[in-house]
Amino acid sequence: MNRIKNSNLTKQSKAPVFDTLLSHAKRDVISFHCPGHKNGRSIDKELKDYVGQEVFKFDVTVFDEVDSLHDPVGPIRKAQELMAEAYGVRHSLFLVNGTSSGNMAMFLSACNPGDSIIVSRSSHKSIMTGIIMSGVWPIWVQPKIDQNLDLIFSMTYDQVKEALDKYPEAKAVLVTSPTYNGIVTELSKIADLCHRRGKILLVDEAHGAHLHFNDRLPESAVEAGADLCVQSTHKILSAMSQGSALHFNSKLVDFNRVKKVVSMLQTTSPNYLTLATLDLARRQVFLQGKKDFDKVLDAAEWGRSYINKNIQNMKCFDRKEMNKLGFDLDETKLTVNVTKTGLSGYEVESILAREYRIQLDYADLFNLVAIHGEGTIKADVEAFVSALESISKKYHGKQKNWILKIPTLSTEMVMKPRDVFLSNSITKVRLKKAVGHIAAQILTPYPPGIPVVIPGERITQEICDCLMDTASKGIRISGQENDKLRMVKVFTNF
Ligand SMILES: Cc1ncc(COP(=O)(O)O)c(C=O)c1O
């Protein structure tokens, strides 16, 4: 499969936002606009001594020459058109508050208050914000867990179908793919199903901005047929932090509404350096994504097979294993299971940072996730693997008896999360006495990092037992307000 059109090479070699900012910076214009540092002049000396002053000349504000993110008619518009062409979509919009804001925008663009949407319980926290902001009814899907790999999957086709059969009124489906571990679900099948039934498919593809540009990588959301998807261009490609993009390819959603919503959610003072790097990241991945990600994939593959062959107490799953389970894998993500060292993933992460100057993006009780990006080189992977090898020799304690388990908690959504959020009728009751009440907070034990209660849900005996059991084992519960979980916030008017 040849994913990108070489005929577009000349056009895609341009970077209109970057070129405009560079020529502006070179003209040494006297600034009477925000920001107050005036081309970097008053930036703190210590910072300037380290990074230099020139970069601050890119930190400008909205004026005709550099265009406006909210009503683009010049270089920003051209750069967004180039991005859309590179990804093969009808429109792309730049985001300067990450995929978090893009996820919120997908909800507000595709749904009205009272609509229902099928969504995984293991979604990123910005999805819950989108649910609250848009006033939708979430139809939760419990993700599957693999006890051998200590891993949570994204929603499967069968799960989406089951949910759609049961709730035919659902307006949309929101899927996260790839997951933090690089697991990609059967998006084409899900897209076909959604469209056959007139449903909108939204994809949180925060970790997938690179997929489209190398044939060795899994199918991307837009290739699969998603209506809207959001990608963190800053996570794997070379945009600066907060630089993301929303891609639009839908017959079911009104693009003018998407534009309005995206504008409502973004600052009126976007960071132009972030915008320039979004433009450059698109150019870079279009022109050299194949070559760059061949190298990254080779390095990651080398690391994966070295760990599996030579490091006794650690293991990485591979693409074949994922395929057998019905998923695909973005092999640039290296998940290393460390349970046999007798240490948790958190502990190994901390040793790597303190003793080996290696910082990971993510760890949990069981696993480390090494995120490879366009800038990763083989020497980095060698350093990582060699550090793991020496940690594995030094620590080989008894494997802890942790289990990644989600209770099969069946409950009902009685109120919309938004109505609970806006309500003044919230009180605290003892956990033991909470049965029958409607939850007014989110409580998420780690592991597995999936909420046990969500605002608007009826608290059952099973949920109380699960929370009390979890708290008694000293497992961390995100959302609890005191050291020990004794009270839970509930809605009073029921
Ligand atoms: C699956 C997923 N979605 C959304 C986000 C939010 O992305 P951003 O940091 O670009 O706002 C993240 C961040 O880690 C994520 O992992």
Side-chain angles (χ1 to χ4, degrees):
M1 175 176 53
N2 192 5
R3 287 168 143 180
I4 61 167
K5 286 197 189 115
N6 284 333
S7 56
N8 295 335
L9 273 178
T10 316
K11 236 166 125 190
Q12 288 289 334
S13 305
K14 301 199 166 101
V17 173
F18 170 72
D19 289 346
T20 304
L21 287 168
L22 184 63
S23 95
H24 178 80
K26 285 182 177 167
R27 279 174 50 227
D28 231 346
V29 174
I30 297 168
S31 160
F32 276 102
H33 60 73
C34 301
H37 58 66
K38 307 295 164 195
N39 296 319
R41 194 186 290 135
S42 68
I43 289 285
D44 183 272
K45 183 172 177 312
E46 213 178 332
L47 174 60
K48 231 170 17 181
D49 283 350
Y50 192 68
V51 301
Q53 183 168 334
E54 296 308 292
V55 68
F56 297 104
K57 293 188 179 165
F58 278 63
D59 186 20
V60 295
T61 191
V62 183
F63 43 82
D64 283 354
E65 184 188 358
V66 296
D67 207 4
S68 158
L69 182 62
H70 292 266
D71 186 18
V73 290
I76 295 179
R77 180 173 173 166
K78 279 192 204 131
Q80 291 186 145
E81 284 168 2
L82 285 170
M83 169 118 28
E85 184 188 86
Y87 280 89
V89 294
R90 284 163 62 192
H91 303 283
S92 296
L93 297 173
F94 287 173
L95 305 170
V96 286
N97 191 19
T99 294
S100 300
S101 64
N103 280 342
M104 297 167 207
M106 288 202 289
F107 277 93
L108 289 162
S109 307
C111 300
N112 289 317
D115 285 341
S116 50
I117 176 160
I118 294 166
V119 57
S120 167
R121 245 182 133 88
S122 63
S123 301
H124 184 258
K125 65 197 271 197
S126 55
I127 299 288
M128 193 63 198
T129 316
I131 288 171
I132 290 174
M133 286 169 105
S134 60
V136 294
W137 284 100
I139 298 169
W140 297 111
V141 172
Q142 197 73 290
K144 293 222 160 73
I145 278 190
D146 188 301
Q147 304 280 2
N148 293 325
L149 301 170
D150 304 309
L151 204 62
I152 300 172
F153 295 121
S154 60
M155 268 198 291
T156 62
Y157 167 82
D158 287 343
Q159 286 182 310
V160 175
K161 182 166 182 310
E162 198 184 318
L164 279 175
D165 288 346
K166 200 162 161 199
Y167 300 98
E169 72 277 15
K171 181 152 184 205
V173 175
L174 190 142
V175 179
T176 301
S177 179
T179 63
Y180 226 108
N181 304 87
I183 298 170
V184 172
T185 195
E186 311 149 296
L187 276 180
S188 300
K189 276 172 77 181
I190 294 175
D192 281 353
L193 174 71
C194 285
H195 293 152
R196 261 186 280 123
R197 298 197 186 183
K199 312 296 177 192
I200 300 162
L201 177 62
L202 311 173
V203 182
D204 173 353
E205 201 181 36
H207 294 272
H210 57 312
L211 299 183
H212 182 62
F213 299 95
N214 188 299
D215 293 348
R216 290 164 62 189
L217 291 166
E219 185 179 49
S220 70
V222 282
E223 288 163 342
D227 289 85
L228 269 70
C229 84
V230 189
Q231 301 170 338
S232 297
T233 320
H234 66 94
K235 286 196 194 295
I236 316 293
L237 305 183
S238 306
M240 282 185 57
S241 286
Q242 304 186 355
S244 282
L246 185 151
H247 300 305
F248 174 93
N249 226 8
S250 184
K251 293 190 182 114
L252 301 170
V253 182
D254 172 12
F255 181 62
N256 284 323
R257 176 160 166 175
V258 181
K259 271 201 304 193
K260 261 190 213 136
V261 166
V262 167
S263 174
M264 280 160 63
L265 294 175
Q266 304 225 68
T267 171
T268 49
S269 307
N271 186 316
Y272 277 77
L273 192 56
T274 299
L275 293 175
T277 59
L278 271 170
D279 193 20
L280 292 171
R282 180 271 313 153
R283 177 170 84 177
Q284 183 180 52
V285 75
F286 188 93
L287 298 181
Q288 59 194 62
K290 156 113 189 57
K291 189 169 100 243
D292 287 355
F293 280 96
D294 273 346
K295 281 194 197 148
V296 175
L297 282 160
D298 289 346
E301 256 325 285
W302 173 85
R304 180 176 276 107
S305 79
Y306 189 94
I307 291 168
N308 284 341
K309 276 192 204 133
N310 303 305
I311 306 187
Q312 249 188 359
N313 297 321
M314 299 188 188
K315 157 120 182 70
C316 308
F317 59 80
D318 61 21
R319 197 169 186 176
K320 271 194 198 139
E321 268 169 287
M322 281 304 118
N323 290 163
K324 274 192 206 145
L325 295 167
F327 297 98
D328 203 351
L329 179 67
D330 166 10
E331 292 170 297
T332 66
K333 293 266 194 322
L334 200 59
T335 302
V336 187
N337 191 297
V338 297
T339 49
K340 285 193 180 155
T341 57
L343 300 174
S344 70
Y346 302 120
E347 287 166 320
V348 179
E349 179 190 36
S350 152
I351 296 170
L352 283 167
R354 274 186 287 112
E355 296 177 24
Y356 297 91
R357 289 187 303 109
I358 293 174
Q359 185 57 57
L360 300 177
D361 201 80
Y362 175 85
D364 59 30
L365 260 188
F366 313 93
N367 295 305
L368 313 170
V369 185
I371 294 189
H372 295 58
E374 197 158 3
T376 300
I377 54 171
K378 179 141 183 237
D380 295 347
V381 185
E382 285 168 350
F384 174 58
V385 164
S386 139
L388 290 182
E389 196 162 25
S390 63
I391 292 171
S392 170
K393 281 184 188 144
K394 209 156 141 195
Y395 303 90
H396 33 75
K398 215 165 154 266
Q399 189 168 4
K400 300 267 190 331
N401 210 9
W402 296 310
I403 303 174
L404 186 59
K405 194 170 146 229
I406 10 177
T408 47
L409 305 164
S410 56
T411 181
E412 49 175 331
M413 286 298 301
V414 187
M415 288 175 71
K416 287 187 281 178
R418 176 188 178 81
D419 295 342
V420 180
F421 180 79
L422 294 176
S423 168
N424 290 322
S425 312
I426 307 291
T427 190
K428 282 185 186 174
V429 295
R430 293 193 80 77
L431 187 52
K432 277 185 195 155
K433 303 217 162 147
V435 177
H437 282 276
I438 295 162
Q441 74 183 115
I442 186 161
L443 289 170
T444 312
Y446 281 84
I450 294 168
V452 167
V453 276
I454 280 178
E457 279 183 339
R458 172 100 57 209
I459 301 177
T460 60
Q461 184 66 53
E462 202 191 359
I463 288 176
C464 275
D465 292 346
C466 168
L467 284 171
M468 284 190 288
D469 181 50
T470 311
S472 72
K473 288 183 178 140
I475 292 173
R476 193 167 73 81
I477 302 178
S478 158
Q480 72 185 46
E481 288 180 353
N482 297 315
D483 285 351
K484 201 143 199 261
L485 182 71
R486 287 200 192 90
M487 312 289 280
V488 57
K489 278 189 183 164
V490 296
F491 184 67
T492 49
N493 283 5
F494 255 79

